[in-house]
């Protein structure tokens, strides 16, 4: 049996462009993509922290060190420039893989540079 787990997350990046008439997808700074282990054309879940909207699209590589997070096509109606986003991917893992899996977590600064990385989320306290 497979378990679907968080594979990667880019936390609190900021939308820099919203291009309605682009073909579709989300362009993500190549440095963020590589650190998170997100592949170009991989399905991504995008959660808009600013307005609460959630949608799915796919990742395309943006220019390295540009800070670009460009929400394109119809997804551009779900986010405005300046919105805070969480971008996540999920993967299917066998029970043995799931037992040792650690997600790749990238935490962004407001300019979409890397603040820090981690492979676990701290325990939430009451």
């Amino acid at each position: 049996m497979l378990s679907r787990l968080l594979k990667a997350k880019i936390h609190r990046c900021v939308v820099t462009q919203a291009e309605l008439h682009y073909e579709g997808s989300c362009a993500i700074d190549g440095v963020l993509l590589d650190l998170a282990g997100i592949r170009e054309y991989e399905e991504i879940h995008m959660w808009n922290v600013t307005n609460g909207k959630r949608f799915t699209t796919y990742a395309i590589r943006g220019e390295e060190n540009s800070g670009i997070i460009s929400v394109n096509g119809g997804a551009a109606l779900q986010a405005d420039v300046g919105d805070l986003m969480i971008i996540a991917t999920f993967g299917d893992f066998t029970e043995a893989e799931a037992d040792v899996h650690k997600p790749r977590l990238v935490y962004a600064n407001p300019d979409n540079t890397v603040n820090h990385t981690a492979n676990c989320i701290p325990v939430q306290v009451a």
Side-chain angles (χ1 to χ4, degrees):
M1 182 171 162
L2 295 177
S3 296
R4 189 151 187 83
L5 303 176
L6 177 68
K7 182 186 139 216
K9 176 175 81 163
I10 301 171
H11 190 73
R12 295 179 68 87
C13 57
V14 177
V15 175
T16 60
Q17 294 172 229
E19 302 288 341
L20 181 62
H21 299 290
Y22 190 81
E23 184 176 334
S25 67
C26 179
I28 301 170
D29 183 311
V31 171
L32 294 175
L33 273 184
D34 292 344
L35 281 173
I38 298 172
R39 300 175 66 97
E40 190 167 19
Y41 311 117
E42 184 173 359
E43 179 182 280
I44 56 175
H45 297 259
M46 299 192 70
W47 305 321
N48 191 322
V49 176
T50 303
N51 67 24
K53 294 180 180 177
R54 294 172 167 245
F55 53 97
T56 304
T57 187
Y58 61 94
I60 60 172
R61 179 171 290 275
E63 181 182 3
E64 278 79 5
N65 295 307
S66 65
I68 190 172
I69 301 290
S70 183
V71 183
N72 300 321
L77 298 173
Q78 308 302 313
D80 293 316
V81 171
D83 284 359
L84 284 176
M85 303 295 293
I86 297 170
I87 300 171
T89 63
F90 294 85
D92 294 322
F93 298 86
T94 66
E95 291 305 312
E97 291 169 331
D99 287 342
V100 296
H101 172 69
K102 301 289 183 194
R104 293 173 78 170
L105 310 172
V106 177
Y107 295 83
N109 291 312
D111 63 355
N112 293 332
T113 57
V114 177
N115 181 292
H116 67 283
T117 62
N119 64 4
C120 67
I121 297 172
V123 172
Q124 184 172 348
V125 296

